[in-house]
Amino acid sequence: MGRELVARHLPAIRSEFSPDFLIANSENLTSGKGPVPEHVAFMRDLGFDCLTGGNHVFSHVKDLAAELSDPRSIQIRPANYYEVPGCPIQGKGTRVIEKGGKKVLVIKLMSSTFLKDDVYNPFLKADEILASSATEKFDAVLVDFHRETTAEIYCMAEYLSGRATFVYGTHTHVQTNDEHVLESGTGMIADVGMTGPLHSAIGQKFEGRLPRMVTGVGLFSKKPEPLSEGPGSLHAVLVEIEGGKCLSIEKIRIRD
Ligand SMILES: [Fe+2]
């Protein structure tokens, strides 16, 4: 449902706001899991410049390996996965987009708190990435921080204040009402929100989640499946940037 919503509503969003860059989190792009190459291509054909992954980015790693390893791919994964010799972690955690005379750096980070995968410290990884690209001049540095807790995204925005242009959270699916710009010119929002079925277990059918919550026994829940019926909702944020500083953040919310 999410892909269909984006394809259907994007033309109106583009004509109203004329965004210079389009970036999306592709965490559940393929029916509740990380993307397959066909769906990365689907988003690229819609005009997206970068897709950030998350903890599901390797769900279809056999199919996606070539895409992740392609330096031209718009699909990135959390930069702070450990790159251990022999470990089949592929892809990159940053993407530089050059378009219309503007140059933007997108950084994808992930936390380990309440998430299954152990990753390197995201704060120190942000330092390392910014240090290694210090000689390059960017019109904007955008940081997508995939995390469960609200405090972490606030701490990341504070840590990167004056060094990143926009720090935003993904993974918790619900768009938050806290968008603001710090004195340094760094903007933030705790979660940009998801695009998909409105009344659902964050995109899934309730049968896959609710019985376990009621009974306490996982056995009684069905296999989680994405919900593809009923009203949908699209969430996005429009970030206005000038001179490397965030001027404004406007939330976009479309309900079918
Ligand atoms: Fe996630």
Side-chain angles (χ1 to χ4, degrees):
M1 182 186 284
R3 296 192 306 275
E4 188 273 327
L5 283 164
V6 172
R8 184 150 47 88
H9 291 294
L10 187 60
I13 293 171
R14 293 188 92 138
S15 73
E16 182 173 355
F17 300 109
S18 300
D20 296 315
F21 298 91
L22 284 173
I23 294 154
N25 177 233
S26 59
E27 174 69 339
N28 298 299
L29 186 64
T30 297
S31 304
K33 290 291 179 186
V36 292
E38 293 80 5
H39 294 156
V40 174
F42 176 87
M43 297 293 276
R44 187 176 54 233
D45 292 346
L46 287 178
F48 281 86
D49 302 293
C50 183
L51 301 177
T52 62
N55 51 307
H56 296 318
V57 72
F58 300 121
S59 302
H60 300 100
V61 71
K62 279 188 184 160
D63 297 327
L64 198 65
E67 176 78 42
L68 285 170
S69 301
D70 184 345
R72 297 162 302 171
S73 176
I74 64 169
Q75 177 66 57
I76 60 174
R77 46 89 172 161
N80 54 325
Y81 269 112
Y82 290 105
E83 294 183 21
V84 180
C87 175
I89 291 293
Q90 289 125 342
K92 56 196 184 300
T94 61
R95 176 163 165 76
V96 176
I97 314 164
E98 292 188 77
K99 212 163 99 178
K102 305 278 187 205
K103 190 174 178 183
V104 169
L105 171 64
V106 183
I107 302 173
K108 176 73 194 192
L109 298 168
M110 189 168 77
S111 167
S112 287
T113 307
F114 303 134
L115 284 161
K116 281 183 185 165
D117 290 349
D118 279 329
V119 288
Y120 178 64
N121 184 312
F123 296 86
L124 300 184
K125 189 65 186 181
D127 283 342
E128 291 173 14
I129 292 169
L130 292 173
S132 67
S133 55
T135 54
E136 286 190 76
K137 174 96 177 87
F138 296 107
D139 294 287
V141 175
L142 312 176
V143 178
D144 173 336
F145 189 25
H146 212 69
R147 86 297 166 259
E148 288 280 11
T149 75
T150 306
E152 282 177 295
I153 184 70
Y154 272 77
C155 287
M156 184 62 82
E158 178 65 19
Y159 191 66
L160 297 178
S161 177
R163 296 193 288 158
T165 317
F166 187 55
V167 179
Y168 61 101
T170 53
H171 178 75
T172 42
H173 292 69
V174 179
Q175 190 178 64
T176 54
N177 199 26
D178 62 335
E179 73 279 10
H180 61 284
V181 182
L182 308 180
E183 268 185 38
S184 63
T186 296
M188 75 155 287
I189 184 168
D191 200 296
V192 292
M194 79 162 189
T195 293
L198 172 63
H199 192 66
S200 61
I202 56 169
Q204 297 175 351
K205 293 178 181 175
F206 286 109
E207 302 94 278
R209 297 290 174 191
L210 183 56
R212 188 183 70 179
M213 294 183 191
V214 175
T215 64
V217 181
L219 195 62
F220 300 141
S221 283
K222 290 186 177 171
K223 187 169 172 259
E225 285 181 16
L227 181 66
S228 55
E229 299 160 348
S233 63
L234 180 150
H235 293 94
V237 291
L238 181 77
V239 183
E240 189 183 0
I241 292 167
E242 192 67 60
K245 292 187 186 301
C246 180
L247 301 184
S248 66
I249 307 159
E250 184 175 345
K251 287 182 294 190
I252 297 170
R253 189 177 73 169
I254 299 171
R255 295 273 160 86
D256 268 357

